[in-house]
Amino acid sequence: MVRNRDPFSTALESLRHRLAEGRYGDGAPIVIQYEAQRLRLSTTPVREALAWLCGAGLVERAPTAGYTASRLDAGAVRDWYGFRRDCLLLSLEALTAPSVGSALPEDLPGLFDWIVGRGGNGVRARAFRRVGLHLERLEAAEHHVLGDRETATRDMLEAVSDNRMERLIALIDSFHQARISAAAELAFEVAHAPPDDGEL
């Protein structure tokens, strides 16, 4: 018999996914009772998950009570993309070659984790993952504003497979520069996402 995941993990995974999808909008309230009912959980694991997300900076304490989705501003968006780019480039500097060895991830977040994981710096990897939590919220906006993710993923995977380090570095840099340049537009897109659909 397969055991269900614990309630905290269930709540955390669901809330993170909904934040990444832009279900709450910029600064929108996250209603604990509603989320608990939607997930068929008590309010305790939902509160715990929201407290964890607050610690990660993905949600904020509301002035009165409860939580809201954190607000994005263009400066923070620029900084997050710049930091992720720098982590990737520093990790690649530590490698003589990407040395494929095992099957490559098929998506961009997986590829980026794969690169940073081989950079040999645990502190950088942890900081990279934390910033990645923020950037999840921008993926839908990236698709709408820039529409280059599929092509970029294919090109980067080819560069890793062919051990073309200079090409990979250039692709990572240009991918992030495009997002840094579009930071204001991306933040605006997230801020004006349609509100949660209210489905239980």
Side-chain angles (χ1 to χ4, degrees):
M1 180 177 182
V2 178
R3 293 180 63 189
N4 289 331
R5 297 190 67 185
D6 66 279
F8 168 77
S9 296
T10 299
L12 181 62
E13 185 176 309
S14 175
L15 291 165
R16 272 189 57 192
H17 182 70
R18 289 168 73 81
L19 282 163
E21 287 183 331
R23 291 289 189 98
Y24 303 113
D26 205 34
I30 301 172
V31 181
I32 293 169
Q33 189 65 39
Y34 165 76
E35 295 300 335
Q37 189 178 6
R38 181 180 64 79
L39 293 166
R40 294 179 173 81
L41 297 172
S42 73
T43 57
T44 300
V46 174
R47 285 181 200 281
E48 291 170 350
L50 286 167
W52 188 96
L53 291 165
C54 188
L58 296 174
V59 301
E60 299 169 355
R61 292 288 303 184
T64 51
Y67 294 89
T68 63
S70 61
R71 295 185 182 279
L72 293 180
D73 65 78
V77 171
R78 275 192 291 274
D79 290 346
W80 292 331
Y81 282 118
F83 182 83
R84 186 173 70 178
R85 178 199 57 205
D86 293 348
C87 284
L88 289 162
L89 297 182
L90 286 168
S91 296
L92 286 170
E93 279 180 18
L95 302 174
T96 52
S99 172
V100 176
S102 61
L104 282 172
E106 295 181 6
D107 64 341
L108 212 50
L111 177 62
F112 289 166
D113 285 343
W114 186 89
I115 291 168
V116 172
R118 280 155 183 74
N121 187 315
V123 173
R124 182 190 304 137
R126 284 189 296 277
F128 175 84
R129 284 191 295 273
R130 187 175 176 108
V131 166
L133 295 173
H134 292 280
L135 292 175
E136 284 178 354
R137 285 182 68 194
L138 293 153
E139 286 182 19
E142 283 182 34
H143 176 71
H144 186 260
V145 172
L146 297 164
D148 62 348
R149 198 175 183 89
E150 189 175 313
T151 302
T153 301
R154 185 193 65 234
D155 292 347
M156 287 185 212
L157 286 169
E158 285 177 3
V160 173
S161 297
D162 297 341
N163 267 343
R164 297 171 61 198
M165 293 285 282
E166 287 184 15
R167 169 81 171 141
L168 180 59
I169 288 166
L171 288 167
I172 288 171
D173 186 54
S174 64
F175 179 83
H176 286 84
Q177 284 297 340
R179 282 145 181 78
I180 290 167
S181 297
E185 196 173 351
L186 292 168
F188 181 87
E189 185 80 13
V190 171
H192 294 86
D196 189 3
D197 56 19
E199 289 179 10
L200 286 179

